[in-house]
PDB file of all heavy atoms in Angstrom:
ATOM      1  N   LYS A  26      79.093 121.236 122.727  1.00  0.00           N
ATOM      2  CA  LYS A  26      79.468 120.493 123.935  1.00  0.00           C
ATOM      3  C   LYS A  26      79.727 121.471 125.075  1.00  0.00           C
ATOM      4  O   LYS A  26      79.388 121.286 126.230  1.00  0.00           O
ATOM      5  CB  LYS A  26      80.688 119.645 123.648  1.00  0.00           C
ATOM      6  CG  LYS A  26      80.391 118.386 122.876  1.00  0.00           C
ATOM      7  CD  LYS A  26      81.689 117.565 122.642  1.00  0.00           C
ATOM      8  CE  LYS A  26      81.389 116.267 121.926  1.00  0.00           C
ATOM      9  NZ  LYS A  26      82.680 115.473 121.677  1.00  0.00           N
ATOM     10  N   LYS A  27      80.487 122.535 124.757  1.00  0.00           N
ATOM     11  CA  LYS A  27      80.792 123.534 125.771  1.00  0.00           C
ATOM     12  C   LYS A  27      79.506 124.164 126.306  1.00  0.00           C
ATOM     13  O   LYS A  27      79.349 124.336 127.573  1.00  0.00           O
ATOM     14  CB  LYS A  27      81.727 124.569 125.189  1.00  0.00           C
ATOM     15  CG  LYS A  27      83.114 124.104 124.870  1.00  0.00           C
ATOM     16  CD  LYS A  27      84.002 125.191 124.222  1.00  0.00           C
ATOM     17  CE  LYS A  27      85.359 124.624 123.865  1.00  0.00           C
ATOM     18  NZ  LYS A  27      86.179 125.716 123.262  1.00  0.00           N
ATOM     19  N   ALA A  28      78.611 124.477 125.407  1.00  0.00           N
ATOM     20  CA  ALA A  28      77.327 125.128 125.842  1.00  0.00           C
ATOM     21  C   ALA A  28      76.552 124.149 126.732  1.00  0.00           C
ATOM     22  O   ALA A  28      75.991 124.551 127.783  1.00  0.00           O
ATOM     23  CB  ALA A  28      76.536 125.454 124.642  1.00  0.00           C
ATOM     24  N   TYR A  29      76.572 122.864 126.382  1.00  0.00           N
ATOM     25  CA  TYR A  29      75.822 121.848 127.124  1.00  0.00           C
ATOM     26  C   TYR A  29      76.384 121.807 128.604  1.00  0.00           C
ATOM     27  O   TYR A  29      75.554 121.853 129.528  1.00  0.00           O
ATOM     28  CB  TYR A  29      75.967 120.506 126.505  1.00  0.00           C
ATOM     29  CG  TYR A  29      75.306 119.360 127.307  1.00  0.00           C
ATOM     30  CD1 TYR A  29      73.961 119.066 127.138  1.00  0.00           C
ATOM     31  CD2 TYR A  29      76.090 118.639 128.228  1.00  0.00           C
ATOM     32  CE1 TYR A  29      73.441 118.009 127.867  1.00  0.00           C
ATOM     33  CE2 TYR A  29      75.505 117.597 128.974  1.00  0.00           C
ATOM     34  CZ  TYR A  29      74.143 117.341 128.781  1.00  0.00           C
ATOM     35  OH  TYR A  29      73.581 116.335 129.552  1.00  0.00           O
ATOM     36  N   PHE A  30      77.651 121.723 128.734  1.00  0.00           N
ATOM     37  CA  PHE A  30      78.250 121.578 130.091  1.00  0.00           C
ATOM     38  C   PHE A  30      78.067 122.910 130.884  1.00  0.00           C
ATOM     39  O   PHE A  30      77.805 122.869 132.091  1.00  0.00           O
ATOM     40  CB  PHE A  30      79.684 121.215 130.027  1.00  0.00           C
ATOM     41  CG  PHE A  30      79.857 119.744 129.771  1.00  0.00           C
ATOM     42  CD1 PHE A  30      80.198 119.237 128.535  1.00  0.00           C
ATOM     43  CD2 PHE A  30      79.732 118.864 130.831  1.00  0.00           C
ATOM     44  CE1 PHE A  30      80.325 117.868 128.285  1.00  0.00           C
ATOM     45  CE2 PHE A  30      79.891 117.458 130.581  1.00  0.00           C
ATOM     46  CZ  PHE A  30      80.180 117.014 129.341  1.00  0.00           C
ATOM     47  N   MET A  31      78.118 123.976 130.218  1.00  0.00           N
ATOM     48  CA  MET A  31      77.901 125.329 130.888  1.00  0.00           C
ATOM     49  C   MET A  31      76.527 125.465 131.409  1.00  0.00           C
ATOM     50  O   MET A  31      76.241 126.057 132.445  1.00  0.00           O
ATOM     51  CB  MET A  31      78.304 126.464 129.962  1.00  0.00           C
ATOM     52  CG  MET A  31      79.803 126.578 129.667  1.00  0.00           C
ATOM     53  SD  MET A  31      80.232 127.735 128.367  1.00  0.00           S
ATOM     54  CE  MET A  31      79.910 129.286 129.253  1.00  0.00           C
ATOM     55  N   ILE A  32      75.523 124.996 130.578  1.00  0.00           N
ATOM     56  CA  ILE A  32      74.088 125.133 130.979  1.00  0.00           C
ATOM     57  C   ILE A  32      73.639 124.070 131.916  1.00  0.00           C
ATOM     58  O   ILE A  32      72.959 124.339 132.919  1.00  0.00           O
ATOM     59  CB  ILE A  32      73.231 125.139 129.703  1.00  0.00           C
ATOM     60  CG1 ILE A  32      73.615 126.337 128.861  1.00  0.00           C
ATOM     61  CG2 ILE A  32      71.769 125.185 130.077  1.00  0.00           C
ATOM     62  CD1 ILE A  32      73.003 126.315 127.469  1.00  0.00           C
ATOM     63  N   PHE A  33      73.922 122.813 131.617  1.00  0.00           N
ATOM     64  CA  PHE A  33      73.245 121.639 132.293  1.00  0.00           C
ATOM     65  C   PHE A  33      74.128 121.001 133.334  1.00  0.00           C
ATOM     66  O   PHE A  33      73.623 120.150 134.073  1.00  0.00           O
ATOM     67  CB  PHE A  33      72.806 120.653 131.257  1.00  0.00           C
ATOM     68  CG  PHE A  33      71.905 121.193 130.249  1.00  0.00           C
ATOM     69  CD1 PHE A  33      72.271 121.335 128.912  1.00  0.00           C
ATOM     70  CD2 PHE A  33      70.617 121.652 130.624  1.00  0.00           C
ATOM     71  CE1 PHE A  33      71.387 121.858 127.987  1.00  0.00           C
ATOM     72  CE2 PHE A  33      69.756 122.171 129.717  1.00  0.00           C
ATOM     73  CZ  PHE A  33      70.128 122.280 128.349  1.00  0.00           C
ATOM     74  N   ARG A  34      75.393 121.346 133.425  1.00  0.00           N
ATOM     75  CA  ARG A  34      76.255 120.739 134.461  1.00  0.00           C
ATOM     76  C   ARG A  34      76.918 121.753 135.341  1.00  0.00           C
ATOM     77  O   ARG A  34      77.782 121.420 136.171  1.00  0.00           O
ATOM     78  CB  ARG A  34      77.315 119.865 133.780  1.00  0.00           C
ATOM     79  CG  ARG A  34      76.705 118.608 133.041  1.00  0.00           C
ATOM     80  CD  ARG A  34      76.018 117.669 134.021  1.00  0.00           C
ATOM     81  NE  ARG A  34      75.322 116.602 133.312  1.00  0.00           N
ATOM     82  CZ  ARG A  34      74.029 116.580 133.112  1.00  0.00           C
ATOM     83  NH1 ARG A  34      73.302 117.627 133.513  1.00  0.00           N
ATOM     84  NH2 ARG A  34      73.422 115.594 132.485  1.00  0.00           N
ATOM     85  N   SER A  35      76.535 122.986 135.238  1.00  0.00           N
ATOM     86  CA  SER A  35      77.032 124.029 136.067  1.00  0.00           C
ATOM     87  C   SER A  35      76.215 124.157 137.382  1.00  0.00           C
ATOM     88  O   SER A  35      75.057 123.773 137.361  1.00  0.00           O
ATOM     89  CB  SER A  35      77.015 125.375 135.337  1.00  0.00           C
ATOM     90  OG  SER A  35      77.337 126.458 136.220  1.00  0.00           O
ATOM     91  N   LYS A  36      76.878 124.617 138.435  1.00  0.00           N
ATOM     92  CA  LYS A  36      76.169 124.902 139.649  1.00  0.00           C
ATOM     93  C   LYS A  36      75.524 126.283 139.644  1.00  0.00           C
ATOM     94  O   LYS A  36      74.808 126.658 140.626  1.00  0.00           O
ATOM     95  CB  LYS A  36      77.083 124.768 140.833  1.00  0.00           C
ATOM     96  CG  LYS A  36      77.598 123.336 141.015  1.00  0.00           C
ATOM     97  CD  LYS A  36      78.530 123.274 142.277  1.00  0.00           C
ATOM     98  CE  LYS A  36      78.983 121.816 142.462  1.00  0.00           C
ATOM     99  NZ  LYS A  36      79.898 121.647 143.637  1.00  0.00           N
ATOM    100  N   ASP A  37      75.781 127.094 138.561  1.00  0.00           N
ATOM    101  CA  ASP A  37      75.114 128.355 138.474  1.00  0.00           C
ATOM    102  C   ASP A  37      73.642 128.233 138.198  1.00  0.00           C
ATOM    103  O   ASP A  37      73.173 127.166 137.782  1.00  0.00           O
ATOM    104  CB  ASP A  37      75.796 129.128 137.358  1.00  0.00           C
ATOM    105  CG  ASP A  37      77.248 129.464 137.568  1.00  0.00           C
ATOM    106  OD1 ASP A  37      77.588 129.653 138.795  1.00  0.00           O
ATOM    107  OD2 ASP A  37      78.000 129.587 136.624  1.00  0.00           O
ATOM    108  N   SER A  38      72.893 129.323 138.415  1.00  0.00           N
ATOM    109  CA  SER A  38      71.474 129.297 138.059  1.00  0.00           C
ATOM    110  C   SER A  38      71.340 129.220 136.521  1.00  0.00           C
ATOM    111  O   SER A  38      72.326 129.471 135.766  1.00  0.00           O
ATOM    112  CB  SER A  38      70.785 130.534 138.565  1.00  0.00           C
ATOM    113  OG  SER A  38      71.250 131.687 137.808  1.00  0.00           O
ATOM    114  N   LEU A  39      70.224 128.827 136.083  1.00  0.00           N
ATOM    115  CA  LEU A  39      69.984 128.697 134.626  1.00  0.00           C
ATOM    116  C   LEU A  39      70.162 130.038 133.946  1.00  0.00           C
ATOM    117  O   LEU A  39      70.804 130.140 132.860  1.00  0.00           O
ATOM    118  CB  LEU A  39      68.630 128.122 134.308  1.00  0.00           C
ATOM    119  CG  LEU A  39      68.268 127.810 132.842  1.00  0.00           C
ATOM    120  CD1 LEU A  39      69.247 126.845 132.274  1.00  0.00           C
ATOM    121  CD2 LEU A  39      66.852 127.345 132.743  1.00  0.00           C
ATOM    122  N   LYS A  40      69.669 131.067 134.541  1.00  0.00           N
ATOM    123  CA  LYS A  40      69.824 132.403 133.990  1.00  0.00           C
ATOM    124  C   LYS A  40      71.257 132.814 133.854  1.00  0.00           C
ATOM    125  O   LYS A  40      71.722 133.348 132.844  1.00  0.00           O
ATOM    126  CB  LYS A  40      69.038 133.421 134.871  1.00  0.00           C
ATOM    127  CG  LYS A  40      69.068 134.841 134.275  1.00  0.00           C
ATOM    128  CD  LYS A  40      68.272 135.787 135.148  1.00  0.00           C
ATOM    129  CE  LYS A  40      68.306 137.199 134.632  1.00  0.00           C
ATOM    130  NZ  LYS A  40      67.489 138.137 135.483  1.00  0.00           N
ATOM    131  N   GLU A  41      72.050 132.558 134.865  1.00  0.00           N
ATOM    132  CA  GLU A  41      73.500 132.839 134.864  1.00  0.00           C
ATOM    133  C   GLU A  41      74.219 131.980 133.790  1.00  0.00           C
ATOM    134  O   GLU A  41      75.102 132.537 133.080  1.00  0.00           O
ATOM    135  CB  GLU A  41      74.104 132.574 136.251  1.00  0.00           C
ATOM    136  CG  GLU A  41      73.660 133.578 137.298  1.00  0.00           C
ATOM    137  CD  GLU A  41      74.104 133.176 138.680  1.00  0.00           C
ATOM    138  OE1 GLU A  41      74.386 131.965 138.896  1.00  0.00           O
ATOM    139  OE2 GLU A  41      74.190 134.061 139.526  1.00  0.00           O
ATOM    140  N   SER A  42      73.899 130.765 133.688  1.00  0.00           N
ATOM    141  CA  SER A  42      74.555 129.876 132.723  1.00  0.00           C
ATOM    142  C   SER A  42      74.259 130.343 131.304  1.00  0.00           C
ATOM    143  O   SER A  42      75.180 130.323 130.415  1.00  0.00           O
ATOM    144  CB  SER A  42      74.032 128.451 132.915  1.00  0.00           C
ATOM    145  OG  SER A  42      74.396 127.942 134.200  1.00  0.00           O
ATOM    146  N   LEU A  43      73.029 130.675 131.021  1.00  0.00           N
ATOM    147  CA  LEU A  43      72.714 131.186 129.669  1.00  0.00           C
ATOM    148  C   LEU A  43      73.447 132.460 129.336  1.00  0.00           C
ATOM    149  O   LEU A  43      73.937 132.645 128.234  1.00  0.00           O
ATOM    150  CB  LEU A  43      71.216 131.381 129.578  1.00  0.00           C
ATOM    151  CG  LEU A  43      70.331 130.161 129.705  1.00  0.00           C
ATOM    152  CD1 LEU A  43      68.800 130.611 129.629  1.00  0.00           C
ATOM    153  CD2 LEU A  43      70.612 129.131 128.676  1.00  0.00           C
ATOM    154  N   ALA A  44      73.604 133.299 130.306  1.00  0.00           N
ATOM    155  CA  ALA A  44      74.341 134.571 130.108  1.00  0.00           C
ATOM    156  C   ALA A  44      75.824 134.305 129.854  1.00  0.00           C
ATOM    157  O   ALA A  44      76.431 134.928 128.958  1.00  0.00           O
ATOM    158  CB  ALA A  44      74.185 135.468 131.308  1.00  0.00           C
ATOM    159  N   LYS A  45      76.371 133.319 130.518  1.00  0.00           N
ATOM    160  CA  LYS A  45      77.813 132.974 130.268  1.00  0.00           C
ATOM    161  C   LYS A  45      77.988 132.388 128.919  1.00  0.00           C
ATOM    162  O   LYS A  45      78.991 132.719 128.194  1.00  0.00           O
ATOM    163  CB  LYS A  45      78.250 131.962 131.341  1.00  0.00           C
ATOM    164  CG  LYS A  45      78.567 132.550 132.699  1.00  0.00           C
ATOM    165  CD  LYS A  45      79.119 131.522 133.656  1.00  0.00           C
ATOM    166  CE  LYS A  45      79.431 132.202 134.989  1.00  0.00           C
ATOM    167  NZ  LYS A  45      80.040 131.147 135.932  1.00  0.00           N
ATOM    168  N   VAL A  46      77.080 131.530 128.472  1.00  0.00           N
ATOM    169  CA  VAL A  46      77.169 130.933 127.106  1.00  0.00           C
ATOM    170  C   VAL A  46      77.099 132.056 126.059  1.00  0.00           C
ATOM    171  O   VAL A  46      77.896 132.135 125.088  1.00  0.00           O
ATOM    172  CB  VAL A  46      76.065 129.956 126.875  1.00  0.00           C
ATOM    173  CG1 VAL A  46      75.967 129.552 125.347  1.00  0.00           C
ATOM    174  CG2 VAL A  46      76.247 128.678 127.709  1.00  0.00           C
ATOM    175  N   GLU A  47      76.221 133.020 126.267  1.00  0.00           N
ATOM    176  CA  GLU A  47      76.064 134.090 125.325  1.00  0.00           C
ATOM    177  C   GLU A  47      77.303 134.975 125.304  1.00  0.00           C
ATOM    178  O   GLU A  47      77.663 135.484 124.255  1.00  0.00           O
ATOM    179  CB  GLU A  47      74.817 134.943 125.745  1.00  0.00           C
ATOM    180  CG  GLU A  47      74.256 135.782 124.657  1.00  0.00           C
ATOM    181  CD  GLU A  47      72.857 136.293 125.030  1.00  0.00           C
ATOM    182  OE1 GLU A  47      72.669 136.655 126.224  1.00  0.00           O
ATOM    183  OE2 GLU A  47      71.971 136.259 124.189  1.00  0.00           O
ATOM    184  N   ALA A  48      77.937 135.139 126.464  1.00  0.00           N
ATOM    185  CA  ALA A  48      79.100 136.028 126.534  1.00  0.00           C
ATOM    186  C   ALA A  48      80.408 135.376 126.039  1.00  0.00           C
ATOM    187  O   ALA A  48      81.272 136.051 125.508  1.00  0.00           O
ATOM    188  CB  ALA A  48      79.253 136.557 127.922  1.00  0.00           C
ATOM    189  N   GLU A  49      80.511 134.023 126.272  1.00  0.00           N
ATOM    190  CA  GLU A  49      81.842 133.386 126.109  1.00  0.00           C
ATOM    191  C   GLU A  49      81.963 132.526 124.879  1.00  0.00           C
ATOM    192  O   GLU A  49      83.061 132.264 124.433  1.00  0.00           O
ATOM    193  CB  GLU A  49      82.093 132.543 127.310  1.00  0.00           C
ATOM    194  CG  GLU A  49      82.211 133.363 128.594  1.00  0.00           C
ATOM    195  CD  GLU A  49      82.431 132.499 129.830  1.00  0.00           C
ATOM    196  OE1 GLU A  49      82.748 131.315 129.699  1.00  0.00           O
ATOM    197  OE2 GLU A  49      82.248 133.024 130.957  1.00  0.00           O
ATOM    198  N   LEU A  50      80.837 132.103 124.254  1.00  0.00           N
ATOM    199  CA  LEU A  50      80.890 131.185 123.120  1.00  0.00           C
ATOM    200  C   LEU A  50      80.548 131.847 121.806  1.00  0.00           C
ATOM    201  O   LEU A  50      79.821 132.864 121.825  1.00  0.00           O
ATOM    202  CB  LEU A  50      79.946 129.972 123.366  1.00  0.00           C
ATOM    203  CG  LEU A  50      80.307 129.080 124.542  1.00  0.00           C
ATOM    204  CD1 LEU A  50      79.366 127.911 124.602  1.00  0.00           C
ATOM    205  CD2 LEU A  50      81.697 128.610 124.469  1.00  0.00           C
TER     206      LEU A  50
END
């Protein structure tokens, strides 16, 4: 669920969102 909202509901670019998921989850 956290990954979903970070990737698909963030205003960040897709590349940035994926990097955040990888770093934080």
Side-chain angles (χ1 to χ4, degrees):
K26 283 182 179 179
K27 293 179 181 178
Y29 176 89
F30 281 100
M31 292 171 71
I32 296 170
F33 301 114
R34 294 296 174 260
S35 170
K36 295 182 179 180
D37 295 330
S38 70
L39 185 59
K40 183 177 180 180
E41 292 170 336
S42 297
L43 297 178
K45 284 185 177 180
V46 169
E47 200 166 42
E49 298 176 14
L50 295 184

